[in-house]
Each structure stands twice: as structure tokens, then as C-alpha cells.
Amino acid sequence: MNKILVFFFALFLSGTIHAQDLKFGLRGGPSFTTLGGEEGGDDSKFRVGFHLGGFVSLPLSDGIWFEPGIQYANKGAKSTEVGTATTVRNGYLDLPLLFKFQGGEKFYFLAGAQPSFLMSSAIILGDGDNKITIDGSDTRDLWKSSDFAAVVGFGLNLGTQMHLQTTYEHGFANISEISDDVFNRGFKLSVGRTF
């Protein structure tokens, strides 16, 4: 525990030294998510959702930044069970804690961790005109209230403070209350702007 406190204290000191270089930004775009693990991965297919939020870019040294952020992310999966299309749609508050490594003038790489907290949940049965949506406590009780994932990715600086990036999230915490082996997996494609 003491090592963790020392680490965050060192980050804070680095931030005060480089406070004039502190930047804020917004980032969002489509998400492509599924459920992995033995229970979640057999028939699960990717579904398209979205994510939107903000971040702070704190320089640590030449070419390395710490970028904590906050964003709402729509996750879940699609599957077909007993001939019925089923869509899981869970809303999370993601807190990405990423390190950004500049790999040249335009390209950069990202790596870090991401705790997440469940905000909403819905299951949609059927498709087309024959859809039934079940939400509220009936579906929220099926899922654990938090998640934890590793994040890796890369990006491209577009100029004029705009950037394009993609990240992969690999959940390590079981998110199901009724199974021991269901994990969030997904890709985010983001367009961002710093201020």
C-alpha cells in the first residue's frame, strides 16, 4: 500500500513541476464489445456501442504523459440462444489510467489500467419489430457493480490539437453474478481534441 501511495505522490509532484504543460481534452466514438470467458465467449458476438468523456494529459518527461480520464461507455454483446437474438447492453463509468508514449512526431502508444463501475443494464430479446427490453433491477442484479481491465492502444496526432486513437480493453474481473467466467472485452475507436 505504501508503494502505491509513493507512486501517486511522485505523479503529483511531476504534475506540479510541469503544470504549465497540463492539457485537458474530450474523446469519444464507437465501441465494439463482446463478452469473453468460457461462459460468455461461446456464442457472443461483437456489438456496436459508444463512449464519450474527458481526460487530462500530464507530462512526466520528454515523450511520456500520464492521461487519467473519465468516460461513459456502452458495452455488452450479441448472441443467439434457442433461435432468439439476445443483446446485452451495459453502461459503465470507465476511469482509464493510461500512460502515453510518443513514438515519433505523429504516432503514440498507450498502456494502462481501467477500473469501471456499472451504471445501467438492459437485455433486449428478439430483433426487428419483435423486440422486448428488460432493464432496471431485473437485469442490473445479474452483473457485478465493478470491473477492472488492462488497456493497450495506439494513436495518431492529426494536428490542430486533434487525434485519432484505438484501444483494446481486456477485462480481468468476472462481471457476472450468476457465473464465474464472464469478462468484458472490446475495442474503442476515438476522436479527441485537447484544449
Side-chain angles (χ1 to χ4, degrees):
M1 181 68 173
N2 288 338
K3 290 180 181 177
I4 295 172
L5 291 175
V6 169
F7 174 73
F8 282 109
F9 183 69
L11 286 178
F12 174 75
L13 286 179
S14 297
T16 58
I17 293 169
H18 297 284
Q20 69 275 13
D21 296 327
L22 186 70
K23 294 183 180 178
F24 299 90
L26 297 175
R27 186 177 285 149
S31 301
F32 307 90
T33 61
T34 190
L35 297 175
E38 289 182 20
E39 299 290 330
D42 292 341
D43 297 321
S44 290
K45 298 180 179 75
F46 281 91
R47 71 173 290 270
V48 179
F50 69 93
H51 63 282
L52 180 64
F55 65 95
V56 177
S57 187
L58 177 68
L60 301 178
S61 67
D62 287 340
I64 301 175
W65 290 263
F66 178 54
E67 287 195 347
I70 184 169
Q71 57 188 219
Y72 178 81
N74 188 258
K75 303 179 185 180
K78 288 184 175 184
S79 65
T80 302
E81 297 179 19
V82 196
T84 302
T86 303
T87 301
V88 173
R89 188 178 66 208
N90 290 338
Y92 283 88
L93 182 67
D94 286 348
L95 302 174
L97 305 170
L98 304 179
F99 290 92
K100 176 179 171 182
F101 307 92
Q102 196 69 36
E105 192 174 313
K106 296 258 184 200
F107 293 96
Y108 60 88
F109 302 92
L110 299 162
Q114 178 176 275
S116 301
F117 301 94
L118 184 67
M119 304 294 288
S120 62
S121 179
I123 295 177
I124 299 119
L125 302 172
D127 52 15
D129 294 334
N130 299 318
K131 286 196 282 192
I132 299 171
T133 301
I134 305 165
D135 56 12
S137 61
D138 293 335
T139 55
R140 193 179 169 112
D141 292 343
L142 298 173
W143 309 101
K144 294 189 184 285
S145 60
S146 62
D147 186 20
F148 186 81
V151 180
V152 294
F154 62 92
L156 174 66
N157 291 317
L158 301 174
T160 64
Q161 299 180 324
M162 298 290 293
H163 63 270
L164 182 66
Q165 75 181 36
T166 185
T167 53
Y168 171 69
E169 299 173 8
H170 190 91
F172 286 105
N174 175 46
I175 59 169
S176 174
E177 288 286 6
I178 58 175
S179 172
D180 294 328
D181 196 24
V182 179
F183 305 94
N184 278 319
R185 305 281 194 257
F187 296 90
K188 289 177 179 171
L189 180 61
S190 308
V191 176
R193 174 157 169 57
T194 54
F195 301 95

